[in-house]
Amino acid sequence: MARYFMPPRGASYLNKVWLWLKSGRRFRPSFPRTVEFQTLSACNAKCVFCPHALSPELIPHGRMEDGLIDKIVSECGRHLVSRISPYLTNEPLADKRMPDILRRIRAKTPFFTKSKINTNAGLLTEEISRKLLTESGLSQIWFSVNGYSPESYRASMNLDYATSMRNIDSFLRLKKELGKSRPSVKVTTIHTTLVEGELEYAKEYWERRQVPFVIHHMDNRAGEGVSAIAPGAHARKLNCDLFLKQAYIVENGDMILCCHDWQQSVVLGNVAETSIREVWNSPRFLDRIYEYYAGNFENLEICRNCG
C-alpha cells in the first residue's frame, strides 16, 4: 500500500493535492483505505513473539456480535475501502463464523474491495478449506509458517508442524482440483533466531511449490520484550503512517490506534455507538496523530519504543 502523510491542520484540498504531488505520498483520506476488525480474541498458537504467549493475562477478550460485523461491513461497502481483514492479533479461523463473515464481506462490498486473512493453518480443516474456496469470496489468504522442522516450529509457535503443513498442502491441492484462482496464496515467515538457519530452505521449498514467499522483519510489539529471539537490534519506528490509512477495531467496537496495540491502550472511539467515519475524523483521533508527529507521547506511550 502507498505511503501517506498527515496534512497540516486546516489545509485546503488543493494544498493537500499539491503536497501529494510534491512528496509522492498520499494525504490521509476521510475514510480508511483498509479496515481490520477482530471478531474473536482467541488464538490456538502461542508464538514466542506474540502477546498470546508473552502476556496472555493482559489481553482483553471478547466476541463481536453479528450485528456489529454487519454494521462495519455495510459502512465499508459505502466507501472506497481497498481491503477488509476480519482479524487483528488473533487467529481468524478460531471463529467458526469466519467463512460466513467473509461471504458477507464479499456480498456487501464493491468488486474492488479485497478480503484477506492471515492464518497459522492449524485449524484449517478440509471442510473449512472447501468453504473458503467455494463460498466465502475470499481474495487473499496468507499462511504464517514460523519454523521448518517439528522442533523449530514447536519452539516458535507451540503448534504441530505436521498438522499445519498437511492443512496447507490440502488447501493447495483442493484449490487446484477446483480450478480456483482465488484466494491468492502467500506464505510468510518472521525472521527470528529460531528460524534463521532455515530461511534459505524455506525460500527454495516454496519456490518449488510455486507459492509466493515473504520473510518479515520481527517487530517488538510496541515495546514488548522479544530481544532474545531478535536477529538484530531493534530501531525505534519513526514516521509511522499506519493510522493514516488503516483502521483497527476490536470486538466491542472500539477503534484502537494500531495493530500493535494489543492491550487496547489508545481507544479513539467506538464504531458501535457512532460510525467508522465519525471516529476516524474525530478530534480525539486527529489530536493523537498530530501529537505523534510532534514527538509528544504523553497520550501515546505505546508509540514511544515501538520498533
Side-chain angles (χ1 to χ4, degrees):
M1 186 180 288
R3 298 288 290 172
Y4 283 72
F5 73 91
M6 186 64 186
R9 290 186 188 270
S12 68
Y13 184 78
L14 287 177
N15 183 236
K16 293 176 184 178
V17 172
W18 167 245
L19 291 172
W20 178 5
L21 295 173
K22 186 178 178 181
S23 68
R25 293 190 175 198
R26 301 179 184 181
F27 55 87
R28 186 179 190 262
S30 60
F31 198 88
R33 295 296 312 284
T34 298
V35 175
E36 298 187 8
F37 62 94
Q38 184 160 285
T39 66
L40 186 71
S41 56
C43 186
N44 59 314
K46 293 289 185 289
C47 298
V48 290
F49 41 74
C50 178
H52 281 280
L54 293 164
S55 306
E57 72 284 356
L58 299 179
I59 297 174
H61 287 289
R63 179 183 187 273
M64 186 174 284
E65 296 295 330
D66 284 326
L68 180 54
I69 293 171
D70 286 334
K71 183 176 189 287
I72 290 170
V73 174
S74 294
E75 186 177 0
C76 290
R78 299 191 295 271
H79 295 276
L80 298 176
V81 175
S82 62
R83 173 171 61 83
I84 300 176
S85 291
Y87 71 94
L88 197 52
T89 60
N90 64 320
E91 165 53 49
L93 297 184
D95 192 332
K96 303 298 185 183
R97 302 171 295 172
M98 189 50 58
D100 185 60
I101 290 170
L102 292 164
R103 182 191 58 77
R104 286 144 66 187
I105 291 172
R106 181 68 282 148
K108 292 175 178 287
T109 57
F111 71 93
F112 54 79
T113 299
K114 296 181 175 64
S115 58
K116 171 179 172 284
I117 60 171
N118 280 30
T119 175
N120 58 51
L123 302 175
L124 186 66
T125 63
E126 184 159 342
E127 179 185 1
I128 294 175
S129 291
R130 189 172 293 275
K131 288 182 177 180
L132 292 178
L133 288 162
T134 63
E135 301 175 12
S136 71
L138 178 63
S139 306
Q140 301 172 332
I141 185 168
W142 288 16
F143 295 119
S144 180
V145 182
N146 296 297
Y148 290 86
S149 68
E151 295 76 20
S152 63
Y153 191 82
R154 176 70 67 180
S156 292
M157 305 181 73
N158 197 31
L159 292 175
D160 181 65
Y161 177 72
T163 298
S164 297
M165 294 299 284
R166 183 171 62 248
N167 290 347
I168 294 173
D169 288 344
S170 177
F171 182 89
L172 294 173
R173 173 186 52 77
L174 188 59
K175 182 172 184 277
K176 185 176 181 180
E177 287 177 1
L178 294 171
K180 298 292 185 180
S181 60
R182 289 289 182 270
S184 63
V185 176
K186 185 175 288 186
V187 172
T188 68
T189 297
I190 295 177
H191 186 179
T192 68
T193 56
L194 296 173
V195 302
E196 200 160 24
E198 300 174 338
L199 294 179
E200 283 304 316
Y201 167 81
K203 289 179 187 177
E204 295 172 4
Y205 176 80
W206 294 116
E207 185 176 356
R208 289 197 307 270
R209 302 289 304 275
Q210 297 182 312
V211 175
F213 173 65
V214 176
I215 299 170
H216 283 159
H217 166 75
M218 188 186 73
D219 61 62
N220 69 350
R221 297 282 174 166
E224 186 65 53
V226 290
S227 58
I229 57 168
H234 276 288
R236 192 166 73 84
K237 189 176 293 183
L238 302 172
N239 297 317
C240 180
D241 69 346
L242 289 178
F243 41 64
L244 302 185
K245 56 191 175 184
Q246 299 188 165
Y248 307 96
I249 303 167
V250 294
E251 297 89 347
N252 67 349
D254 282 345
M255 187 184 294
I256 58 176
L257 183 71
C258 174
C259 55
H260 300 303
D261 190 5
W262 54 272
Q263 291 191 69
Q264 303 171 23
S265 64
V266 183
V267 176
L268 303 160
N270 187 284
V271 305
E273 299 168 357
T274 56
S275 67
I276 297 172
R277 186 182 181 91
E278 287 177 280
V279 177
W280 182 258
N281 295 291
S282 66
R284 179 177 177 81
F285 200 161
L286 299 180
D287 286 347
R288 297 296 87 78
I289 294 172
Y290 286 116
E291 287 169 4
Y292 172 82
Y293 287 115
N296 176 7
F297 301 113
E298 183 177 352
N299 296 310
L300 300 167
E301 190 62 34
I302 184 175
C303 299
R304 190 183 300 276
N305 298 309
C306 186

